Short mmCIF file of all heavy atoms in Angstrom, two decimals:
data_model
loop_
_atom_site.label_atom_id
_atom_site.label_comp_id
_atom_site.label_asym_id
_atom_site.label_seq_id
_atom_site.Cartn_x
_atom_site.Cartn_y
_atom_site.Cartn_z
N TYR A 1088 43.02 28.82 -48.59
CA TYR A 1088 42.99 28.87 -47.12
C TYR A 1088 44.25 28.34 -46.43
O TYR A 1088 44.32 28.35 -45.21
CB TYR A 1088 41.79 28.08 -46.59
CG TYR A 1088 40.48 28.55 -47.16
CD1 TYR A 1088 39.69 27.71 -47.92
CD2 TYR A 1088 40.05 29.85 -46.92
CE1 TYR A 1088 38.47 28.15 -48.44
CE2 TYR A 1088 38.85 30.30 -47.44
CZ TYR A 1088 38.07 29.45 -48.19
OH TYR A 1088 36.89 29.88 -48.71
N GLY A 1089 45.22 27.87 -47.18
CA GLY A 1089 46.41 27.27 -46.59
C GLY A 1089 47.14 28.18 -45.62
O GLY A 1089 47.72 27.72 -44.63
N PHE A 1090 47.12 29.47 -45.87
CA PHE A 1090 47.80 30.43 -45.00
C PHE A 1090 47.20 30.44 -43.60
O PHE A 1090 47.84 30.85 -42.63
CB PHE A 1090 47.74 31.84 -45.60
CG PHE A 1090 46.34 32.40 -45.69
CD1 PHE A 1090 45.82 33.14 -44.65
CD2 PHE A 1090 45.56 32.15 -46.81
CE1 PHE A 1090 44.52 33.64 -44.72
CE2 PHE A 1090 44.27 32.63 -46.89
CZ PHE A 1090 43.75 33.39 -45.85
N ALA A 1091 45.97 29.96 -43.45
CA ALA A 1091 45.28 29.96 -42.16
C ALA A 1091 45.31 28.58 -41.49
O ALA A 1091 44.63 28.36 -40.49
CB ALA A 1091 43.84 30.41 -42.35
N TYR A 1092 46.11 27.66 -42.02
CA TYR A 1092 46.11 26.27 -41.56
C TYR A 1092 46.28 26.14 -40.04
O TYR A 1092 45.61 25.35 -39.41
CB TYR A 1092 47.21 25.48 -42.29
CG TYR A 1092 47.19 24.01 -41.99
CD1 TYR A 1092 46.29 23.16 -42.62
CD2 TYR A 1092 48.08 23.45 -41.08
CE1 TYR A 1092 46.26 21.80 -42.35
CE2 TYR A 1092 48.06 22.09 -40.80
CZ TYR A 1092 47.15 21.28 -41.44
OH TYR A 1092 47.12 19.93 -41.17
N ASN A 1093 47.17 26.91 -39.47
CA ASN A 1093 47.44 26.82 -38.03
C ASN A 1093 46.68 27.86 -37.20
O ASN A 1093 46.91 27.97 -36.00
CB ASN A 1093 48.94 26.95 -37.77
CG ASN A 1093 49.70 25.77 -38.32
OD1 ASN A 1093 49.34 24.62 -38.09
ND2 ASN A 1093 50.74 26.05 -39.09
N GLU A 1094 45.77 28.58 -37.81
CA GLU A 1094 45.04 29.64 -37.13
C GLU A 1094 43.70 29.18 -36.55
O GLU A 1094 43.14 29.86 -35.70
CB GLU A 1094 44.79 30.82 -38.09
CG GLU A 1094 46.06 31.47 -38.60
CD GLU A 1094 46.87 32.12 -37.49
OE1 GLU A 1094 46.27 32.76 -36.61
OE2 GLU A 1094 48.11 31.97 -37.52
N PHE A 1095 43.18 28.07 -37.03
CA PHE A 1095 41.86 27.60 -36.63
C PHE A 1095 41.90 26.12 -36.28
O PHE A 1095 42.81 25.40 -36.70
CB PHE A 1095 40.85 27.80 -37.77
CG PHE A 1095 40.66 29.24 -38.15
CD1 PHE A 1095 41.39 29.80 -39.19
CD2 PHE A 1095 39.76 30.05 -37.46
CE1 PHE A 1095 41.22 31.13 -39.54
CE2 PHE A 1095 39.59 31.37 -37.80
CZ PHE A 1095 40.32 31.92 -38.84
N GLU A 1096 40.88 25.66 -35.57
CA GLU A 1096 40.72 24.24 -35.33
C GLU A 1096 40.56 23.55 -36.69
O GLU A 1096 40.02 24.13 -37.63
CB GLU A 1096 39.47 23.98 -34.48
CG GLU A 1096 39.54 24.53 -33.07
CD GLU A 1096 40.49 23.76 -32.19
OE1 GLU A 1096 40.64 22.53 -32.38
OE2 GLU A 1096 41.11 24.39 -31.31
N TYR A 1097 41.02 22.32 -36.78
CA TYR A 1097 40.99 21.58 -38.04
C TYR A 1097 39.58 21.56 -38.65
O TYR A 1097 39.40 21.81 -39.84
CB TYR A 1097 41.51 20.16 -37.82
CG TYR A 1097 41.72 19.41 -39.11
CD1 TYR A 1097 42.88 19.60 -39.85
CD2 TYR A 1097 40.76 18.53 -39.59
CE1 TYR A 1097 43.08 18.93 -41.04
CE2 TYR A 1097 40.94 17.86 -40.77
CZ TYR A 1097 42.11 18.06 -41.50
OH TYR A 1097 42.30 17.40 -42.67
N GLU A 1098 38.60 21.25 -37.83
CA GLU A 1098 37.22 21.14 -38.31
C GLU A 1098 36.72 22.46 -38.90
O GLU A 1098 35.99 22.47 -39.88
CB GLU A 1098 36.30 20.65 -37.20
CG GLU A 1098 36.51 19.20 -36.80
CD GLU A 1098 37.79 18.96 -35.98
OE1 GLU A 1098 38.34 19.92 -35.40
OE2 GLU A 1098 38.23 17.80 -35.93
N LYS A 1099 37.08 23.58 -38.28
CA LYS A 1099 36.68 24.89 -38.80
C LYS A 1099 37.31 25.14 -40.17
O LYS A 1099 36.65 25.62 -41.09
CB LYS A 1099 37.06 26.00 -37.82
CG LYS A 1099 36.62 27.38 -38.27
CD LYS A 1099 35.12 27.50 -38.33
CE LYS A 1099 34.69 28.91 -38.67
NZ LYS A 1099 33.25 29.02 -38.84
N GLY A 1100 38.58 24.80 -40.30
CA GLY A 1100 39.25 24.94 -41.60
C GLY A 1100 38.59 24.08 -42.66
O GLY A 1100 38.38 24.53 -43.80
N MET A 1101 38.23 22.86 -42.29
CA MET A 1101 37.58 21.98 -43.25
C MET A 1101 36.18 22.48 -43.61
O MET A 1101 35.72 22.27 -44.73
CB MET A 1101 37.51 20.54 -42.72
CG MET A 1101 38.84 19.82 -42.77
SD MET A 1101 39.61 19.78 -44.42
CE MET A 1101 38.38 18.92 -45.38
N GLU A 1102 35.54 23.17 -42.69
CA GLU A 1102 34.24 23.76 -43.00
C GLU A 1102 34.35 24.74 -44.17
O GLU A 1102 33.52 24.76 -45.07
CB GLU A 1102 33.69 24.46 -41.75
CG GLU A 1102 32.31 25.01 -41.89
CD GLU A 1102 31.83 25.68 -40.60
OE1 GLU A 1102 32.07 25.12 -39.52
OE2 GLU A 1102 31.24 26.77 -40.70
N TYR A 1103 35.40 25.55 -44.15
CA TYR A 1103 35.64 26.47 -45.25
C TYR A 1103 35.88 25.70 -46.54
O TYR A 1103 35.34 26.03 -47.60
CB TYR A 1103 36.84 27.38 -44.97
CG TYR A 1103 36.52 28.51 -44.02
CD1 TYR A 1103 36.88 28.42 -42.68
CD2 TYR A 1103 35.88 29.66 -44.45
CE1 TYR A 1103 36.59 29.45 -41.80
CE2 TYR A 1103 35.59 30.70 -43.58
CZ TYR A 1103 35.95 30.58 -42.26
OH TYR A 1103 35.66 31.61 -41.39
N CYS A 1104 36.70 24.66 -46.46
CA CYS A 1104 37.02 23.87 -47.65
C CYS A 1104 35.78 23.19 -48.22
O CYS A 1104 35.56 23.21 -49.43
CB CYS A 1104 38.09 22.83 -47.31
SG CYS A 1104 39.69 23.54 -46.90
N LEU A 1105 34.97 22.60 -47.36
CA LEU A 1105 33.78 21.90 -47.84
C LEU A 1105 32.74 22.86 -48.42
O LEU A 1105 32.03 22.52 -49.37
CB LEU A 1105 33.18 21.05 -46.73
CG LEU A 1105 34.10 19.92 -46.22
CD1 LEU A 1105 33.44 19.17 -45.08
CD2 LEU A 1105 34.51 18.97 -47.34
N THR A 1106 32.68 24.06 -47.87
CA THR A 1106 31.78 25.07 -48.44
C THR A 1106 32.25 25.44 -49.85
O THR A 1106 31.44 25.58 -50.77
CB THR A 1106 31.73 26.31 -47.53
OG1 THR A 1106 31.22 25.91 -46.26
CG2 THR A 1106 30.85 27.40 -48.12
N LEU A 1107 33.56 25.56 -50.02
CA LEU A 1107 34.12 25.84 -51.33
C LEU A 1107 33.85 24.67 -52.28
O LEU A 1107 33.46 24.87 -53.44
CB LEU A 1107 35.63 26.11 -51.20
CG LEU A 1107 36.38 26.54 -52.45
CD1 LEU A 1107 35.83 27.84 -53.00
CD2 LEU A 1107 37.86 26.69 -52.13
N LEU A 1108 34.02 23.45 -51.80
CA LEU A 1108 33.76 22.26 -52.61
C LEU A 1108 32.30 22.24 -53.09
O LEU A 1108 32.03 21.89 -54.23
CB LEU A 1108 34.10 20.99 -51.82
CG LEU A 1108 33.72 19.66 -52.44
CD1 LEU A 1108 34.30 19.49 -53.85
CD2 LEU A 1108 34.19 18.52 -51.53
N ALA A 1109 31.38 22.63 -52.23
CA ALA A 1109 29.96 22.63 -52.59
C ALA A 1109 29.66 23.56 -53.77
O ALA A 1109 28.66 23.38 -54.47
CB ALA A 1109 29.12 23.04 -51.38
N MET A 1110 30.52 24.54 -54.01
CA MET A 1110 30.34 25.48 -55.10
C MET A 1110 30.93 24.98 -56.43
O MET A 1110 30.78 25.63 -57.45
CB MET A 1110 30.99 26.82 -54.74
CG MET A 1110 30.40 27.49 -53.55
SD MET A 1110 31.32 29.01 -53.21
CE MET A 1110 30.83 29.31 -51.53
N CYS A 1111 31.62 23.84 -56.38
CA CYS A 1111 32.31 23.33 -57.57
C CYS A 1111 31.50 22.24 -58.26
O CYS A 1111 30.64 21.61 -57.66
CB CYS A 1111 33.68 22.79 -57.17
SG CYS A 1111 34.80 24.09 -56.58
N ASP A 1112 31.82 22.04 -59.54
CA ASP A 1112 31.12 21.04 -60.35
C ASP A 1112 31.64 19.63 -60.14
O ASP A 1112 30.90 18.66 -60.31
CB ASP A 1112 31.23 21.40 -61.84
CG ASP A 1112 30.63 22.75 -62.15
OD1 ASP A 1112 29.46 22.97 -61.76
OD2 ASP A 1112 31.31 23.59 -62.75
N GLU A 1113 32.93 19.51 -59.84
CA GLU A 1113 33.56 18.20 -59.66
C GLU A 1113 34.64 18.27 -58.60
O GLU A 1113 35.19 19.36 -58.33
CB GLU A 1113 34.21 17.69 -60.96
CG GLU A 1113 33.23 17.34 -62.05
CD GLU A 1113 33.91 16.79 -63.29
OE1 GLU A 1113 35.16 16.74 -63.37
OE2 GLU A 1113 33.18 16.40 -64.22
N LEU A 1114 34.99 17.10 -58.05
CA LEU A 1114 36.11 16.94 -57.14
C LEU A 1114 37.15 16.09 -57.85
O LEU A 1114 36.85 14.99 -58.31
CB LEU A 1114 35.66 16.24 -55.85
CG LEU A 1114 36.76 15.73 -54.92
CD1 LEU A 1114 37.61 16.87 -54.39
CD2 LEU A 1114 36.16 14.90 -53.78
N TRP A 1115 38.36 16.62 -57.98
CA TRP A 1115 39.48 15.86 -58.53
C TRP A 1115 40.46 15.62 -57.39
O TRP A 1115 40.88 16.56 -56.72
CB TRP A 1115 40.17 16.63 -59.65
CG TRP A 1115 39.36 16.74 -60.92
CD1 TRP A 1115 38.05 16.40 -61.11
CD2 TRP A 1115 39.81 17.24 -62.18
NE1 TRP A 1115 37.66 16.66 -62.41
CE2 TRP A 1115 38.73 17.18 -63.09
CE3 TRP A 1115 41.03 17.75 -62.63
CZ2 TRP A 1115 38.83 17.59 -64.41
CZ3 TRP A 1115 41.12 18.16 -63.94
CH2 TRP A 1115 40.04 18.08 -64.83
N ILE A 1116 40.81 14.35 -57.17
CA ILE A 1116 41.67 13.98 -56.05
C ILE A 1116 43.02 13.50 -56.56
O ILE A 1116 43.10 12.67 -57.46
CB ILE A 1116 41.01 12.88 -55.19
CG1 ILE A 1116 39.61 13.31 -54.75
CG2 ILE A 1116 41.88 12.55 -53.99
CD1 ILE A 1116 38.84 12.23 -54.00
N TYR A 1117 44.07 14.01 -55.92
CA TYR A 1117 45.45 13.69 -56.29
C TYR A 1117 46.24 13.25 -55.07
O TYR A 1117 45.84 13.46 -53.93
CB TYR A 1117 46.14 14.93 -56.88
CG TYR A 1117 45.58 15.42 -58.18
CD1 TYR A 1117 44.48 16.25 -58.21
CD2 TYR A 1117 46.17 15.07 -59.38
CE1 TYR A 1117 43.96 16.72 -59.40
CE2 TYR A 1117 45.67 15.53 -60.59
CZ TYR A 1117 44.56 16.36 -60.59
OH TYR A 1117 44.06 16.83 -61.77
N GLY A 1118 47.42 12.71 -55.34
CA GLY A 1118 48.36 12.37 -54.27
C GLY A 1118 47.94 11.15 -53.48
O GLY A 1118 47.05 10.39 -53.86
N ASN A 1119 48.58 10.96 -52.36
CA ASN A 1119 48.32 9.83 -51.48
C ASN A 1119 47.12 10.16 -50.59
O ASN A 1119 47.22 10.22 -49.37
CB ASN A 1119 49.59 9.55 -50.65
CG ASN A 1119 49.54 8.22 -49.95
OD1 ASN A 1119 48.66 7.41 -50.20
ND2 ASN A 1119 50.48 8.00 -49.07
N TRP A 1120 45.99 10.37 -51.22
CA TRP A 1120 44.80 10.91 -50.56
C TRP A 1120 44.19 9.98 -49.51
O TRP A 1120 43.58 10.45 -48.56
CB TRP A 1120 43.75 11.29 -51.60
CG TRP A 1120 43.17 10.11 -52.31
CD1 TRP A 1120 43.65 9.54 -53.46
CD2 TRP A 1120 42.03 9.35 -51.93
NE1 TRP A 1120 42.87 8.47 -53.80
CE2 TRP A 1120 41.88 8.33 -52.88
CE3 TRP A 1120 41.13 9.44 -50.87
CZ2 TRP A 1120 40.86 7.39 -52.81
CZ3 TRP A 1120 40.11 8.51 -50.79
CH2 TRP A 1120 39.98 7.50 -51.76
N GLU A 1121 44.37 8.67 -49.66
CA GLU A 1121 43.76 7.73 -48.73
C GLU A 1121 44.26 7.94 -47.30
O GLU A 1121 43.57 7.62 -46.34
CB GLU A 1121 44.04 6.28 -49.14
CG GLU A 1121 43.43 5.89 -50.47
CD GLU A 1121 44.43 5.98 -51.62
OE1 GLU A 1121 45.40 6.76 -51.52
OE2 GLU A 1121 44.24 5.27 -52.60
N LYS A 1122 45.46 8.47 -47.14
CA LYS A 1122 46.04 8.69 -45.82
C LYS A 1122 45.82 10.12 -45.32
O LYS A 1122 46.33 10.49 -44.28
CB LYS A 1122 47.53 8.37 -45.84
CG LYS A 1122 47.80 6.90 -46.10
CD LYS A 1122 49.28 6.58 -46.07
CE LYS A 1122 49.47 5.10 -46.34
NZ LYS A 1122 50.88 4.73 -46.35
N SER A 1123 45.07 10.91 -46.08
CA SER A 1123 44.82 12.30 -45.73
C SER A 1123 43.42 12.44 -45.14
O SER A 1123 42.41 12.16 -45.81
CB SER A 1123 44.94 13.19 -46.97
OG SER A 1123 44.39 14.46 -46.72
N ARG A 1124 43.35 12.87 -43.90
CA ARG A 1124 42.06 13.08 -43.24
C ARG A 1124 41.19 14.05 -44.04
O ARG A 1124 40.01 13.81 -44.26
CB ARG A 1124 42.32 13.61 -41.83
CG ARG A 1124 41.11 13.89 -41.01
CD ARG A 1124 41.54 14.36 -39.62
NE ARG A 1124 40.42 14.89 -38.87
CZ ARG A 1124 40.53 15.64 -37.80
NH1 ARG A 1124 41.71 15.96 -37.33
NH2 ARG A 1124 39.47 16.07 -37.18
#
């Protein structure tokens, strides 16, 4: 969904991401994630 980053409100974009996350078996977190909303 990165190509649509500036096309939608942040919350709408995250809705897509969280729906995708719900379909996965695990969440792996990388980078300086604590500072990432």
Side-chain angles (χ1 to χ4, degrees):
Y1088 304 118
F1090 64 91
Y1092 186 80
N1093 293 311
E1094 298 296 319
F1095 298 94
E1096 295 288 328
Y1097 189 82
E1098 290 74 19
K1099 183 64 175 175
M1101 285 305 300
E1102 185 179 317
Y1103 283 100
C1104 293
L1105 297 177
T1106 299
L1107 185 61
L1108 172 55
M1110 297 178 199
C1111 294
D1112 300 308
E1113 291 183 355
L1114 167 63
W1115 290 9
I1116 306 175
Y1117 295 83
N1119 193 10
W1120 67 271
E1121 296 97 334
K1122 295 182 180 178
S1123 166
R1124 180 178 169 197

